[in-house]
Amino acid sequence: MKILDWYILKRYLLTFLMMLLLFIPIGITVDLAEKVGKIIENEAPFGEVTAYYIDFTVYFANLLFPLFLFLSVIWFTSKLANNTEIVAFLSSGVSFTRFLRPYLIGATIVASVALVLGMYLAPIASQGFNEFKYNYLKKNKKIQKTRDVYQQINDNDYIYVSSFIPKTKSGSNFTYEHFEGNELKYKIFADYIRFIEKDSSYRLTSYVKRTFENGFETVEKERRKDTIFPFELEDLTPVEYAAETKSYGELLRFIKAEKKRGSQNIGRYEVVKLKKWSLPVSIFILTIIAVAVSSVKRRGGMGVNLAFGIAIAMIYVFFDKIFGVMAEQSNFSPVIAVWFPNIIFGILAIYLLQNAKR
């Protein structure tokens, strides 16, 4: 690698790191100032608050990786342009495409980190971040369905509970139906069901089982019965942030199971899955846009480039959020919702790059 490549790559990575170190403490300070009242009011333990802000750092760093990188590239490339260093590079016979190479190498490094972070580390942080938020900051907010829960467990079995209590893993007015083809083979009723963690079984109160075979019905009754079912109660009504807390392999299995159950939140889960791939791609797109915009020395200096960059970043976030919400709350295609901003900004990147070369 040439001296030019090392010089730009070092500036690329160091400026990005400095941008993270600058904005993350600001984000933590603003968030703490906003929520300190609820934290004190709900008596959140200091250890859990500390863990929350560690998770907060990873959670938001993962979400904002492309934007932090975009602004950092504009910042240091504008400085190169203002110092006429870029003019010197290009005047020495280096083509603009060759000048862009260390930026793409840096984007590959950052995109690889973002991919690993999104696939494995961010889900762990999301779990802690959301659990703290709903335990101490949004105690009364409903985050999962708890009334009239009806789910298909697999191809043959269906379950219903009229009321579900996530904290105790219990439910009332329980019904379990087993079909073979279109024929109901047996049906289980219970006034109350509770998951027993000690032996991974379920305790049914006022148990009744009706079995149908060869035109005859058999009824079995017990005051209390411990048995095993192929599900966990909280899995039947996942919290709204469930997909965010799973690694990529777990997420694929989770989505497959939810599709079998006929979940209405598949759009939300698909958006989470697709964003794990679209975010690293956006790093390359925004890097090219940032270089194309800031590599020319302008009369207004670095401020003009930063203002233009911030405007592009805001438009990108706007498109990303709008289409994400459409996919989560309607039948809008998650693939289009997630990749449309990258396609639009990819076209913009090609256009700006061609102009920069000229």
Side-chain angles (χ1 to χ4, degrees):
M1 190 181 289
K2 305 291 185 181
I3 295 176
L4 168 63
D5 295 329
W6 277 114
Y7 179 71
I8 292 178
L9 181 58
K10 192 189 304 180
R11 297 285 296 271
Y12 181 104
L13 296 175
L14 286 176
T15 308
F16 171 60
L17 182 61
M18 291 302 297
M19 189 72 70
L20 285 176
L21 294 177
L22 175 65
F23 279 99
I24 286 176
I26 292 174
I28 291 174
T29 302
V30 171
D31 187 77
L32 181 59
E34 178 187 351
K35 295 171 180 171
V36 66
K38 287 187 176 180
I39 290 174
I40 294 172
E41 178 185 341
N42 294 314
E43 300 179 346
F46 178 78
E48 291 193 31
V49 174
T50 303
Y52 166 74
Y53 279 106
I54 293 173
D55 292 331
F56 174 93
T57 300
V58 176
Y59 182 78
F60 279 99
N62 176 63
L63 287 178
L64 301 177
F65 244 46
L67 299 183
F68 284 148
L69 183 67
F70 181 64
L71 295 177
S72 65
V73 171
I74 285 183
W75 174 269
F76 87 83
T77 306
S78 295
K79 289 186 69 175
L80 293 179
N82 287 341
N83 295 334
T84 65
E85 292 178 78
I86 294 179
V87 174
F89 294 150
L90 299 178
S91 299
S92 66
V94 176
S95 68
F96 195 87
T97 303
R98 176 65 182 81
F99 169 71
L100 191 62
R101 189 170 79 173
Y103 286 93
L104 295 180
I105 293 172
T108 301
I109 294 172
V110 175
S112 299
V113 173
L115 190 63
V116 173
L117 190 66
M119 293 286 185
Y120 304 106
L121 301 180
I124 298 172
S126 179
Q127 178 80 35
F129 171 80
N130 282 293
E131 283 182 356
F132 182 90
K133 182 169 71 172
Y134 289 107
N135 285 337
Y136 296 105
L137 306 178
K138 295 185 176 181
K139 278 191 168 185
N140 297 322
K141 182 168 177 161
K142 185 178 178 181
I143 58 173
Q144 63 189 125
K145 187 176 181 180
T146 58
R147 305 288 297 179
D148 295 324
V149 178
Y150 182 77
Q151 290 281 16
Q152 180 177 356
I153 299 169
N154 51 47
D155 293 337
N156 300 315
D157 299 321
Y158 298 81
I159 184 176
Y160 170 81
V161 287
S162 65
S163 178
F164 171 59
I165 306 173
K167 189 173 182 180
T168 59
K169 296 185 179 180
S170 61
S172 58
N173 298 322
F174 169 77
T175 304
Y176 186 94
E177 297 175 325
H178 175 76
F179 288 83
E180 291 182 8
N182 293 323
E183 185 179 355
L184 177 63
K185 286 297 183 179
Y186 64 83
K187 189 170 185 175
I188 295 173
F189 303 89
D191 289 343
Y192 186 73
I193 180 172
R194 181 166 63 91
F195 182 65
I196 309 298
E197 292 191 24
K198 183 179 178 181
D199 52 8
S200 299
S201 65
Y202 290 89
R203 178 161 294 166
L204 305 177
T205 305
S206 300
Y207 167 87
V208 178
K209 182 178 181 180
R210 298 173 61 193
T211 304
F212 307 92
E213 189 171 355
N214 299 324
F216 294 95
E217 177 182 349
T218 304
V219 180
E220 176 188 349
K221 294 184 178 181
E222 293 187 38
R223 187 180 65 83
R224 191 180 79 179
K225 184 178 180 66
D226 290 350
T227 188
I228 295 175
F229 289 118
F231 62 83
E232 290 189 21
L233 281 179
E234 72 268 21
D235 290 338
L236 301 176
T237 56
V239 292
E240 61 183 23
Y241 57 82
E244 297 177 15
T245 65
K246 301 184 182 299
S247 65
Y248 190 69
E250 293 173 341
L251 180 58
L252 293 179
R253 292 190 291 272
F254 174 72
I255 291 175
K256 184 178 179 180
E258 288 300 298
K259 283 182 177 178
K260 277 190 174 182
R261 293 170 181 165
S263 172
Q264 297 179 349
N265 296 320
I266 294 299
R268 180 193 299 273
Y269 305 149
E270 289 284 351
V271 167
V272 173
K273 180 187 75 174
L274 293 169
K275 279 190 175 181
K276 291 181 184 295
W277 294 104
S278 69
L279 188 142
V281 172
S282 68
I283 288 174
F284 288 96
I285 294 171
L286 293 176
T287 293
I288 293 172
I289 293 175
V291 175
V293 166
S294 57
S295 59
V296 179
K297 187 174 182 179
R298 304 180 190 277
R299 180 173 298 178
M302 191 184 303
V304 174
N305 289 338
L306 283 174
F308 187 66
I310 291 171
I312 290 178
M314 290 177 64
I315 294 171
Y316 180 85
V317 171
F318 174 79
F319 273 100
D320 184 59
K321 291 297 181 185
I322 288 295
F323 283 97
V325 171
M326 287 173 62
E328 291 174 4
Q329 300 185 1
S330 69
N331 292 325
F332 192 78
S333 169
V335 175
I336 296 176
V338 172
W339 286 102
F340 183 77
N342 279 352
I343 292 171
I344 293 298
F345 280 82
I347 295 170
L348 176 63
I350 293 170
Y351 171 76
L352 292 174
L353 186 58
Q354 293 302 320
N355 281 349
K357 286 181 179 180
R358 290 196 291 269

